[in-house]
Amino acid sequence: MGQTPTLHMLYTCPFCWKVRGVIEHLGMDVEYISVNGMKIKKEVSFAGDWGKVPVFTDENGEHFVDSTPLMKHIDITYNGGKMAAMGDAARQQKWLEWADANVSKATVPILYGTLGAALKTTTRISKLEKFGFFSKRLYAWAGFPIMWGIIARKRVKKDGRSPKKLWHDLLTEFTDEHGQEPFFGGAAPDLVDFAVFGYTRSISPFPQFSLLQDHEKGMAWYRRMENSLQ
Ligand SMILES: N[C@@H](CCC(=O)N[C@@H](CS)C(=O)NCC(=O)O)C(=O)O
């Protein structure tokens, strides 16, 4: 049997939520370990020089990194590869890449796109994540909102759409691809569903999530995803 598998994560990391959704869907027994967001490299140095979360450690103590390959690994190892085998493999791969290229980039603008949003987000993060006493205050009040605000505003300007419109367009593009089915994967969710769900779910602890909630088709799918978790 070996040890209980672990997932080193940050509560607010969208990539971690992709993997976590698959784990919860399969009802796996995994221990979640929150790292200190100011010391990620150090806290996951046991896994080599990758230096990022999520890191999955299996029952044999072997480490796996990078959220999309990690979701695939979990599906193959603990689910007989059922999700990878759903539908057309080329379509699945294309949309996994679509999610990682587009939906991943929509999280920063909505969380940090205005100074007010950036401050709300960083204050909330400082409450959610594990920090040292000083780094918590530093994180919430020093450079971070400003730094992220600058990055986010640049992205918003380049895209030309408001962060809300960007999310609505992505959710429309994604749910249109479902056709008459409840999920991208068909009758049941597949890895693409969990990739998009992870990015979307990472916004859910923040007040800005309300901006997504009037996307009717997107939210109906999101609730179905929540209901597919164990
Ligand atoms: N491509 C990676 C990205 C992971 C990633 O960027 N994680 C962030 C947290 S959201 C991180 O650990 N950053 C630490 C760093 O880059 O130093 C994945 O999909 O897992």
Side-chain angles (χ1 to χ4, degrees), residues 45-118:
S45 59
F46 61 85
D49 56 10
W50 172 252
K52 296 178 188 177
V53 285
V55 174
F56 179 74
T57 305
D58 74 7
E59 52 288 337
N60 303 315
E62 202 179 332
H63 307 301
F64 299 87
V65 297
D66 206 357
S67 57
T68 294
L70 189 43
M71 288 198 302
K72 290 181 179 174
H73 170 78
I74 289 175
D75 174 47
I76 286 172
T77 314
Y78 304 95
N79 189 37
K82 283 197 205 95
M83 285 198 234
M86 273 181 202
D88 179 60
R91 171 180 177 259
Q92 195 180 91
Q93 185 55 34
K94 179 183 150 203
W95 281 84
L96 269 179
E97 285 166 23
W98 173 86
D100 287 342
N102 299 288
V103 191
S104 68
K105 299 225 166 52
T107 60
V108 164
I110 199 147
L111 293 179
Y112 301 93
T114 65
L115 190 62

Side-chain angles (χ1 to χ4, degrees), residues 10 13-15 18 40-41 50-54 66-68 199:
L10 266 175
C13 167
F15 310 103
K18 287 162 66 186
I40 300 176
K41 270 202 169 50
W50 172 252
K52 296 178 188 177
V53 285
D66 206 357
S67 57
T68 294
Y199 291 126

Side-chain angles (χ1 to χ4, degrees), residues 12 18 24 26 40 94 99 103 168 170 181 211:
T12 49
K18 287 162 66 186
E24 288 180 33
L26 299 179
I40 300 176
K94 179 183 150 203
V103 191
H168 278 240
L170 291 168
E181 300 286 354
L211 298 174

